Amino acid sequence: MSTAAMAAGKTIAVSWKTFQEERWKTDEAAIKAVVEADGDKYISTDAQNSAQNQAADIESLSSQKPDVILVVAYDSDAILPSIKAINDAGIKAIAYDVQFEDPDSLYITFDNVGVGRIMAQEALKVKPKGNYAFIKGDKGDPNSTFLFQGQMEVLKAALDSGDVKNVCETFTDGWKADAAQKNMEQCLTSTGNKVDAVLSENDGMASGVVAALAAQGMADGSVAVTGQDGDKAAINRVALGTQTVSIWKNATDLGTVAGKAAVYLANGGDPAKFEGVAPFDGGKNHVKMNAILLAPTAITKDNVDVAIKAGHITKEEACAGVAAGANAACG
């Protein structure tokens, strides 16, 4: 369904690949705040993790003649005909959070290779040796590959020396928690529960990983578990010690930048001249795009207060169930 906040001026549209994950609501609130403050109109659709739905959604949005469409692509290859149609209609396109390779579109995201590096660095701090499992995101999402690329850069020496062993590696359909849980269950079965670290590529999947570990009595912090997005439940798991790190990509910051960029493009601005833009050709086909890559923040047990002080999560939410004195941020 399409939603609209009526206002004068330009029209900014967003095609969400799914609106079922917690973080996208934060992104949307930030984008809408900028768009509506400029007196513009916001419309959106939810593809519900379907490439076919997203193609239909973009056609529907385009028929409303928006000035800019931000696209969170479900499948970065399947979306390309829709992006061509956007371009042909004279509408500006923004690849939001997920890259699709189109030289005419502006790409706005966090440094996902960098996120992967931080995941591996944090895992190595607590598990410098051992069996590592890699629970990757959806195969059709290039972020899955960017994250894994960053992880491999950091882990190369440990893998080459044999200190770290890759015992499980799998993509996860739709980044779904239940699919990640099944992947982790299969990994534990195949290794006889001999897993020391799990590089889960987002927090939703980390919830499934922790559930699989808990079923085997292994969710006591003895297995390092990574994630990203700064989901509130994940930050609570970090405070509890069942998740090692959540790489917080402040969705409010990302949405605010994207909203400002959309308004700028809607008013005829040159994407190459927008603040923070630099060339990017790190996609699988090395298509050169104008891009903005924001820096993420690692949330660990030692700095949960960073997210609390930023207003991203309350102390009560972050510290729910945490024993007194177990975490500095929780008192």
Side-chain angles (χ1 to χ4, degrees):
M1 296 294 293
S2 177
T3 60
M6 301 305 294
K10 306 293 184 180
T11 298
I12 309 299
V14 183
S15 169
W16 300 101
K17 66 177 180 179
T18 176
F19 207 65
Q20 308 311 307
E21 293 178 18
E22 174 189 318
R23 68 151 292 189
W24 300 119
K25 296 172 178 60
T26 304
D27 293 68
E28 182 183 62
I31 294 168
K32 284 181 72 173
V34 173
V35 169
E36 293 176 1
D38 194 61
D40 299 327
K41 175 180 166 182
Y42 172 90
I43 58 176
S44 71
T45 52
D46 175 6
Q48 299 180 339
N49 281 325
S50 164
Q52 184 177 2
N53 286 352
Q54 190 159 45
D57 285 349
I58 290 174
E59 184 176 356
S60 174
L61 290 171
S62 297
S63 71
Q64 299 176 63
K65 303 188 183 305
D67 298 276
V68 180
I69 301 180
L70 294 84
V71 178
V72 186
Y74 174 69
D75 185 310
S76 292
D77 291 327
I79 202 71
L80 291 176
S82 295
I83 302 306
K84 182 179 185 302
I86 291 173
N87 292 336
D88 290 348
I91 301 167
K92 303 293 185 182
I94 293 177
Y96 184 74
D97 192 65
V98 179
Q99 188 194 25
F100 51 78
E101 292 186 89
D102 173 65
D104 296 321
S105 298
L106 177 60
Y107 176 36
I108 302 177
T109 191
F110 280 86
D111 178 0
N112 289 297
V113 175
V115 171
R117 292 191 195 104
I118 296 171
M119 287 178 172
Q121 289 162 356
E122 293 298 327
L124 280 175
K125 284 179 185 178
V126 294
K127 296 292 178 181
K129 296 182 180 182
N131 292 339
Y132 275 47
F134 298 87
I135 306 297
K136 300 190 288 188
D138 190 270
K139 192 173 185 178
D141 187 335
N143 283 352
S144 303
T145 302
F146 288 143
L147 291 160
F148 189 67
Q149 177 185 332
Q151 293 167 6
M152 290 297 103
E153 287 178 13
V154 171
L155 294 174
K156 185 178 186 305
L159 287 163
D160 288 348
S161 70
D163 284 347
V164 167
K165 294 182 175 62
N166 179 349
V167 294
C168 303
E169 179 186 328
T170 181
F171 286 104
T172 306
D173 181 49
W175 300 79
K176 295 174 184 174
D178 57 349
Q181 182 172 345
K182 289 177 183 176
N183 286 341
M184 193 65 222
E185 288 168 351
Q186 291 170 359
C187 178
L188 291 170
T189 298
S190 67
T191 62
N193 287 353
K194 292 181 180 177
V195 174
D196 300 291
V198 184
L199 271 66
S200 163
E201 289 191 342
N202 82 353
D203 287 337
M205 296 194 308
S207 71
V209 167
V210 171
L213 292 171
Q216 299 299 318
M218 298 169 66
D220 56 358
S222 60
V223 178
V225 178
T226 70
Q228 65 155 323
D229 291 334
D231 284 359
K232 291 180 179 180
I235 292 175
N236 179 235
R237 287 194 298 271
V238 169
L240 288 166
T242 58
Q243 184 170 324
T244 308
V245 63
S246 174
I247 315 302
W248 181 32
K249 303 188 303 184
N250 190 331
T252 298
D253 288 349
L254 189 66
T256 299
V257 169
K260 289 178 178 178
V263 169
Y264 172 81
L265 294 179
N267 287 288
D270 179 355
K273 296 180 180 178
F274 187 72
E275 183 180 359
V277 167
F280 177 84
D281 63 357
K284 66 178 181 180
N285 296 316
H286 304 292
V287 173
K288 189 173 181 180
M289 300 179 68
N290 290 306
I292 299 172
L293 306 181
L294 303 185
T297 302
I299 302 296
T300 67
K301 204 170 184 179
D302 296 329
N303 72 337
V304 169
D305 60 322
V306 170
I308 297 172
K309 289 176 181 176
H312 175 63
I313 187 172
T314 66
K315 183 175 180 179
E316 291 71 24
E317 289 169 328
C319 300
V322 178
N327 184 291
C330 298

PDB file of all heavy atoms in Angstrom, residues 154-183:
ATOM      1  N   VAL A 154      40.146  -8.675   7.117  1.00  0.00           N
ATOM      2  CA  VAL A 154      40.668  -8.705   8.478  1.00  0.00           C
ATOM      3  C   VAL A 154      41.113 -10.105   8.888  1.00  0.00           C
ATOM      4  O   VAL A 154      42.126 -10.278   9.574  1.00  0.00           O
ATOM      5  CB  VAL A 154      39.598  -8.183   9.464  1.00  0.00           C
ATOM      6  CG1 VAL A 154      40.011  -8.404  10.909  1.00  0.00           C
ATOM      7  CG2 VAL A 154      39.338  -6.703   9.211  1.00  0.00           C
ATOM      8  N   LEU A 155      40.396 -11.121   8.442  1.00  0.00           N
ATOM      9  CA  LEU A 155      40.652 -12.491   8.884  1.00  0.00           C
ATOM     10  C   LEU A 155      41.672 -13.242   8.035  1.00  0.00           C
ATOM     11  O   LEU A 155      42.067 -14.357   8.394  1.00  0.00           O
ATOM     12  CB  LEU A 155      39.339 -13.281   8.882  1.00  0.00           C
ATOM     13  CG  LEU A 155      38.276 -12.836   9.894  1.00  0.00           C
ATOM     14  CD1 LEU A 155      36.984 -13.601   9.664  1.00  0.00           C
ATOM     15  CD2 LEU A 155      38.766 -13.041  11.320  1.00  0.00           C
ATOM     16  N   LYS A 156      42.122 -12.645   6.932  1.00  0.00           N
ATOM     17  CA  LYS A 156      42.983 -13.365   5.984  1.00  0.00           C
ATOM     18  C   LYS A 156      44.190 -14.010   6.665  1.00  0.00           C
ATOM     19  O   LYS A 156      44.473 -15.198   6.465  1.00  0.00           O
ATOM     20  CB  LYS A 156      43.446 -12.449   4.866  1.00  0.00           C
ATOM     21  CG  LYS A 156      44.245 -13.178   3.770  1.00  0.00           C
ATOM     22  CD  LYS A 156      44.652 -12.251   2.656  1.00  0.00           C
ATOM     23  CE  LYS A 156      45.316 -13.017   1.510  1.00  0.00           C
ATOM     24  NZ  LYS A 156      46.469 -13.851   1.939  1.00  0.00           N
ATOM     25  N   ALA A 157      44.918 -13.236   7.459  1.00  0.00           N
ATOM     26  CA  ALA A 157      46.136 -13.776   8.085  1.00  0.00           C
ATOM     27  C   ALA A 157      45.808 -14.926   9.026  1.00  0.00           C
ATOM     28  O   ALA A 157      46.503 -15.956   9.038  1.00  0.00           O
ATOM     29  CB  ALA A 157      46.867 -12.665   8.833  1.00  0.00           C
ATOM     30  N   ALA A 158      44.737 -14.785   9.803  1.00  0.00           N
ATOM     31  CA  ALA A 158      44.360 -15.837  10.750  1.00  0.00           C
ATOM     32  C   ALA A 158      43.865 -17.081  10.025  1.00  0.00           C
ATOM     33  O   ALA A 158      44.126 -18.214  10.451  1.00  0.00           O
ATOM     34  CB  ALA A 158      43.286 -15.315  11.706  1.00  0.00           C
ATOM     35  N   LEU A 159      43.160 -16.878   8.909  1.00  0.00           N
ATOM     36  CA  LEU A 159      42.712 -18.016   8.104  1.00  0.00           C
ATOM     37  C   LEU A 159      43.897 -18.717   7.445  1.00  0.00           C
ATOM     38  O   LEU A 159      43.975 -19.947   7.420  1.00  0.00           O
ATOM     39  CB  LEU A 159      41.714 -17.549   7.046  1.00  0.00           C
ATOM     40  CG  LEU A 159      40.314 -17.176   7.542  1.00  0.00           C
ATOM     41  CD1 LEU A 159      39.570 -16.360   6.493  1.00  0.00           C
ATOM     42  CD2 LEU A 159      39.505 -18.440   7.890  1.00  0.00           C
ATOM     43  N   ASP A 160      44.830 -17.915   6.923  1.00  0.00           N
ATOM     44  CA  ASP A 160      46.006 -18.490   6.249  1.00  0.00           C
ATOM     45  C   ASP A 160      46.877 -19.283   7.218  1.00  0.00           C
ATOM     46  O   ASP A 160      47.460 -20.319   6.856  1.00  0.00           O
ATOM     47  CB  ASP A 160      46.841 -17.378   5.592  1.00  0.00           C
ATOM     48  CG  ASP A 160      46.176 -16.794   4.356  1.00  0.00           C
ATOM     49  OD1 ASP A 160      45.188 -17.383   3.873  1.00  0.00           O
ATOM     50  OD2 ASP A 160      46.629 -15.732   3.887  1.00  0.00           O
ATOM     51  N   SER A 161      46.967 -18.817   8.456  1.00  0.00           N
ATOM     52  CA  SER A 161      47.823 -19.495   9.445  1.00  0.00           C
ATOM     53  C   SER A 161      47.137 -20.713  10.063  1.00  0.00           C
ATOM     54  O   SER A 161      47.791 -21.547  10.681  1.00  0.00           O
ATOM     55  CB  SER A 161      48.183 -18.515  10.570  1.00  0.00           C
ATOM     56  OG  SER A 161      47.045 -18.213  11.365  1.00  0.00           O
ATOM     57  N   GLY A 162      45.814 -20.775   9.908  1.00  0.00           N
ATOM     58  CA  GLY A 162      45.061 -21.867  10.510  1.00  0.00           C
ATOM     59  C   GLY A 162      44.546 -21.552  11.899  1.00  0.00           C
ATOM     60  O   GLY A 162      43.867 -22.388  12.515  1.00  0.00           O
ATOM     61  N   ASP A 163      44.870 -20.360  12.421  1.00  0.00           N
ATOM     62  CA  ASP A 163      44.355 -19.986  13.730  1.00  0.00           C
ATOM     63  C   ASP A 163      42.824 -19.910  13.709  1.00  0.00           C
ATOM     64  O   ASP A 163      42.157 -20.236  14.690  1.00  0.00           O
ATOM     65  CB  ASP A 163      44.926 -18.629  14.167  1.00  0.00           C
ATOM     66  CG  ASP A 163      46.369 -18.728  14.642  1.00  0.00           C
ATOM     67  OD1 ASP A 163      46.831 -19.861  14.872  1.00  0.00           O
ATOM     68  OD2 ASP A 163      47.023 -17.676  14.784  1.00  0.00           O
ATOM     69  N   VAL A 164      42.281 -19.443  12.592  1.00  0.00           N
ATOM     70  CA  VAL A 164      40.839 -19.388  12.397  1.00  0.00           C
ATOM     71  C   VAL A 164      40.448 -20.313  11.262  1.00  0.00           C
ATOM     72  O   VAL A 164      41.108 -20.331  10.222  1.00  0.00           O
ATOM     73  CB  VAL A 164      40.373 -17.945  12.091  1.00  0.00           C
ATOM     74  CG1 VAL A 164      38.934 -17.922  11.585  1.00  0.00           C
ATOM     75  CG2 VAL A 164      40.504 -17.068  13.334  1.00  0.00           C
ATOM     76  N   LYS A 165      39.403 -21.085  11.464  1.00  0.00           N
ATOM     77  CA  LYS A 165      38.898 -22.000  10.437  1.00  0.00           C
ATOM     78  C   LYS A 165      37.468 -21.609  10.068  1.00  0.00           C
ATOM     79  O   LYS A 165      36.641 -21.375  10.953  1.00  0.00           O
ATOM     80  CB  LYS A 165      38.946 -23.444  10.926  1.00  0.00           C
ATOM     81  CG  LYS A 165      40.344 -23.995  11.152  1.00  0.00           C
ATOM     82  CD  LYS A 165      40.302 -25.450  11.595  1.00  0.00           C
ATOM     83  CE  LYS A 165      41.707 -26.048  11.710  1.00  0.00           C
ATOM     84  NZ  LYS A 165      42.518 -25.348  12.732  1.00  0.00           N
ATOM     85  N   ASN A 166      37.200 -21.541   8.772  1.00  0.00           N
ATOM     86  CA  ASN A 166      35.853 -21.290   8.267  1.00  0.00           C
ATOM     87  C   ASN A 166      35.133 -22.633   8.212  1.00  0.00           C
ATOM     88  O   ASN A 166      35.342 -23.424   7.310  1.00  0.00           O
ATOM     89  CB  ASN A 166      35.935 -20.645   6.878  1.00  0.00           C
ATOM     90  CG  ASN A 166      34.566 -20.372   6.259  1.00  0.00           C
ATOM     91  OD1 ASN A 166      33.544 -20.837   6.751  1.00  0.00           O
ATOM     92  ND2 ASN A 166      34.542 -19.614   5.161  1.00  0.00           N
ATOM     93  N   VAL A 167      34.267 -22.872   9.205  1.00  0.00           N
ATOM     94  CA  VAL A 167      33.605 -24.181   9.285  1.00  0.00           C
ATOM     95  C   VAL A 167      32.194 -24.174   8.711  1.00  0.00           C
ATOM     96  O   VAL A 167      31.635 -25.238   8.431  1.00  0.00           O
ATOM     97  CB  VAL A 167      33.573 -24.699  10.745  1.00  0.00           C
ATOM     98  CG1 VAL A 167      34.994 -24.975  11.227  1.00  0.00           C
ATOM     99  CG2 VAL A 167      32.859 -23.722  11.671  1.00  0.00           C
ATOM    100  N   CYS A 168      31.604 -22.996   8.556  1.00  0.00           N
ATOM    101  CA  CYS A 168      30.262 -22.875   7.971  1.00  0.00           C
ATOM    102  C   CYS A 168      30.166 -21.532   7.270  1.00  0.00           C
ATOM    103  O   CYS A 168      30.612 -20.515   7.800  1.00  0.00           O
ATOM    104  CB  CYS A 168      29.159 -22.926   9.034  1.00  0.00           C
ATOM    105  SG  CYS A 168      29.129 -24.393  10.066  1.00  0.00           S
ATOM    106  N   GLU A 169      29.571 -21.539   6.093  1.00  0.00           N
ATOM    107  CA  GLU A 169      29.373 -20.291   5.351  1.00  0.00           C
ATOM    108  C   GLU A 169      28.115 -20.429   4.505  1.00  0.00           C
ATOM    109  O   GLU A 169      28.031 -21.325   3.668  1.00  0.00           O
ATOM    110  CB  GLU A 169      30.581 -20.000   4.462  1.00  0.00           C
ATOM    111  CG  GLU A 169      30.452 -18.729   3.631  1.00  0.00           C
ATOM    112  CD  GLU A 169      31.614 -18.550   2.650  1.00  0.00           C
ATOM    113  OE1 GLU A 169      32.742 -18.978   2.955  1.00  0.00           O
ATOM    114  OE2 GLU A 169      31.377 -17.987   1.563  1.00  0.00           O
ATOM    115  N   THR A 170      27.152 -19.552   4.734  1.00  0.00           N
ATOM    116  CA  THR A 170      25.899 -19.683   4.000  1.00  0.00           C
ATOM    117  C   THR A 170      25.202 -18.339   3.848  1.00  0.00           C
ATOM    118  O   THR A 170      25.285 -17.485   4.728  1.00  0.00           O
ATOM    119  CB  THR A 170      24.952 -20.666   4.714  1.00  0.00           C
ATOM    120  OG1 THR A 170      23.742 -20.798   3.973  1.00  0.00           O
ATOM    121  CG2 THR A 170      24.622 -20.206   6.125  1.00  0.00           C
ATOM    122  N   PHE A 171      24.529 -18.146   2.719  1.00  0.00           N
ATOM    123  CA  PHE A 171      23.645 -17.000   2.541  1.00  0.00           C
ATOM    124  C   PHE A 171      22.325 -17.295   3.261  1.00  0.00           C
ATOM    125  O   PHE A 171      21.989 -18.449   3.521  1.00  0.00           O
ATOM    126  CB  PHE A 171      23.371 -16.746   1.055  1.00  0.00           C
ATOM    127  CG  PHE A 171      24.530 -16.146   0.307  1.00  0.00           C
ATOM    128  CD1 PHE A 171      25.306 -16.920  -0.552  1.00  0.00           C
ATOM    129  CD2 PHE A 171      24.840 -14.799   0.458  1.00  0.00           C
ATOM    130  CE1 PHE A 171      26.368 -16.364  -1.248  1.00  0.00           C
ATOM    131  CE2 PHE A 171      25.902 -14.232  -0.242  1.00  0.00           C
ATOM    132  CZ  PHE A 171      26.667 -15.011  -1.087  1.00  0.00           C
ATOM    133  N   THR A 172      21.583 -16.231   3.569  1.00  0.00           N
ATOM    134  CA  THR A 172      20.337 -16.367   4.320  1.00  0.00           C
ATOM    135  C   THR A 172      19.210 -15.669   3.567  1.00  0.00           C
ATOM    136  O   THR A 172      19.257 -14.450   3.361  1.00  0.00           O
ATOM    137  CB  THR A 172      20.480 -15.749   5.726  1.00  0.00           C
ATOM    138  OG1 THR A 172      21.616 -16.333   6.379  1.00  0.00           O
ATOM    139  CG2 THR A 172      19.232 -15.985   6.550  1.00  0.00           C
ATOM    140  N   ASP A 173      18.224 -16.422   3.168  1.00  0.00           N
ATOM    141  CA  ASP A 173      17.120 -15.892   2.371  1.00  0.00           C
ATOM    142  C   ASP A 173      16.440 -14.718   3.068  1.00  0.00           C
ATOM    143  O   ASP A 173      15.958 -14.848   4.198  1.00  0.00           O
ATOM    144  CB  ASP A 173      16.104 -17.007   2.107  1.00  0.00           C
ATOM    145  CG  ASP A 173      14.940 -16.536   1.260  1.00  0.00           C
ATOM    146  OD1 ASP A 173      15.185 -15.913   0.218  1.00  0.00           O
ATOM    147  OD2 ASP A 173      13.780 -16.782   1.660  1.00  0.00           O
ATOM    148  N   GLY A 174      16.430 -13.575   2.382  1.00  0.00           N
ATOM    149  CA  GLY A 174      15.717 -12.409   2.872  1.00  0.00           C
ATOM    150  C   GLY A 174      16.232 -11.827   4.176  1.00  0.00           C
ATOM    151  O   GLY A 174      15.540 -11.042   4.817  1.00  0.00           O
ATOM    152  N   TRP A 175      17.434 -12.216   4.592  1.00  0.00           N
ATOM    153  CA  TRP A 175      17.991 -11.759   5.880  1.00  0.00           C
ATOM    154  C   TRP A 175      17.066 -12.143   7.038  1.00  0.00           C
ATOM    155  O   TRP A 175      17.041 -11.478   8.081  1.00  0.00           O
ATOM    156  CB  TRP A 175      18.214 -10.246   5.896  1.00  0.00           C
ATOM    157  CG  TRP A 175      19.147  -9.685   4.869  1.00  0.00           C
ATOM    158  CD1 TRP A 175      18.860  -9.453   3.554  1.00  0.00           C
ATOM    159  CD2 TRP A 175      20.499  -9.261   5.066  1.00  0.00           C
ATOM    160  NE1 TRP A 175      19.953  -8.908   2.927  1.00  0.00           N
ATOM    161  CE2 TRP A 175      20.969  -8.771   3.828  1.00  0.00           C
ATOM    162  CE3 TRP A 175      21.355  -9.220   6.167  1.00  0.00           C
ATOM    163  CZ2 TRP A 175      22.259  -8.270   3.649  1.00  0.00           C
ATOM    164  CZ3 TRP A 175      22.639  -8.722   6.004  1.00  0.00           C
ATOM    165  CH2 TRP A 175      23.087  -8.259   4.762  1.00  0.00           C
ATOM    166  N   LYS A 176      16.308 -13.221   6.909  1.00  0.00           N
ATOM    167  CA  LYS A 176      15.267 -13.557   7.889  1.00  0.00           C
ATOM    168  C   LYS A 176      15.861 -14.268   9.108  1.00  0.00           C
ATOM    169  O   LYS A 176      16.711 -15.143   8.990  1.00  0.00           O
ATOM    170  CB  LYS A 176      14.209 -14.437   7.239  1.00  0.00           C
ATOM    171  CG  LYS A 176      13.425 -13.750   6.127  1.00  0.00           C
ATOM    172  CD  LYS A 176      12.494 -14.718   5.426  1.00  0.00           C
ATOM    173  CE  LYS A 176      11.788 -14.072   4.249  1.00  0.00           C
ATOM    174  NZ  LYS A 176      10.992 -15.052   3.475  1.00  0.00           N
ATOM    175  N   ALA A 177      15.356 -13.879  10.275  1.00  0.00           N
ATOM    176  CA  ALA A 177      15.845 -14.451  11.531  1.00  0.00           C
ATOM    177  C   ALA A 177      15.621 -15.956  11.593  1.00  0.00           C
ATOM    178  O   ALA A 177      16.502 -16.706  12.030  1.00  0.00           O
ATOM    179  CB  ALA A 177      15.166 -13.776  12.716  1.00  0.00           C
ATOM    180  N   ASP A 178      14.440 -16.415  11.142  1.00  0.00           N
ATOM    181  CA  ASP A 178      14.156 -17.850  11.224  1.00  0.00           C
ATOM    182  C   ASP A 178      15.039 -18.642  10.267  1.00  0.00           C
ATOM    183  O   ASP A 178      15.480 -19.756  10.590  1.00  0.00           O
ATOM    184  CB  ASP A 178      12.673 -18.145  10.976  1.00  0.00           C
ATOM    185  CG  ASP A 178      12.155 -17.639   9.642  1.00  0.00           C
ATOM    186  OD1 ASP A 178      12.866 -16.867   8.966  1.00  0.00           O
ATOM    187  OD2 ASP A 178      11.019 -18.013   9.262  1.00  0.00           O
ATOM    188  N   ALA A 179      15.341 -18.048   9.103  1.00  0.00           N
ATOM    189  CA  ALA A 179      16.247 -18.721   8.159  1.00  0.00           C
ATOM    190  C   ALA A 179      17.661 -18.772   8.732  1.00  0.00           C
ATOM    191  O   ALA A 179      18.366 -19.782   8.582  1.00  0.00           O
ATOM    192  CB  ALA A 179      16.241 -17.991   6.815  1.00  0.00           C
ATOM    193  N   ALA A 180      18.080 -17.704   9.396  1.00  0.00           N
ATOM    194  CA  ALA A 180      19.404 -17.683  10.025  1.00  0.00           C
ATOM    195  C   ALA A 180      19.486 -18.713  11.146  1.00  0.00           C
ATOM    196  O   ALA A 180      20.520 -19.374  11.332  1.00  0.00           O
ATOM    197  CB  ALA A 180      19.706 -16.287  10.564  1.00  0.00           C
ATOM    198  N   GLN A 181      18.390 -18.861  11.887  1.00  0.00           N
ATOM    199  CA  GLN A 181      18.371 -19.846  12.964  1.00  0.00           C
ATOM    200  C   GLN A 181      18.545 -21.255  12.399  1.00  0.00           C
ATOM    201  O   GLN A 181      19.324 -22.054  12.943  1.00  0.00           O
ATOM    202  CB  GLN A 181      17.059 -19.754  13.748  1.00  0.00           C
ATOM    203  CG  GLN A 181      16.990 -20.722  14.930  1.00  0.00           C
ATOM    204  CD  GLN A 181      15.784 -20.482  15.812  1.00  0.00           C
ATOM    205  OE1 GLN A 181      15.135 -19.443  15.722  1.00  0.00           O
ATOM    206  NE2 GLN A 181      15.469 -21.438  16.679  1.00  0.00           N
ATOM    207  N   LYS A 182      17.852 -21.540  11.297  1.00  0.00           N
ATOM    208  CA  LYS A 182      17.996 -22.861  10.669  1.00  0.00           C
ATOM    209  C   LYS A 182      19.419 -23.071  10.150  1.00  0.00           C
ATOM    210  O   LYS A 182      19.993 -24.152  10.305  1.00  0.00           O
ATOM    211  CB  LYS A 182      16.991 -23.011   9.532  1.00  0.00           C
ATOM    212  CG  LYS A 182      15.546 -23.151  10.010  1.00  0.00           C
ATOM    213  CD  LYS A 182      14.571 -23.213   8.847  1.00  0.00           C
ATOM    214  CE  LYS A 182      13.124 -23.275   9.345  1.00  0.00           C
ATOM    215  NZ  LYS A 182      12.158 -23.236   8.223  1.00  0.00           N
ATOM    216  N   ASN A 183      19.989 -22.022   9.545  1.00  0.00           N
ATOM    217  CA  ASN A 183      21.375 -22.124   9.062  1.00  0.00           C
ATOM    218  C   ASN A 183      22.331 -22.419  10.212  1.00  0.00           C
ATOM    219  O   ASN A 183      23.258 -23.224  10.088  1.00  0.00           O
ATOM    220  CB  ASN A 183      21.794 -20.833   8.362  1.00  0.00           C
ATOM    221  CG  ASN A 183      21.175 -20.665   6.994  1.00  0.00           C
ATOM    222  OD1 ASN A 183      20.712 -21.637   6.389  1.00  0.00           O
ATOM    223  ND2 ASN A 183      21.147 -19.442   6.488  1.00  0.00           N
TER     224      ASN A 183
END
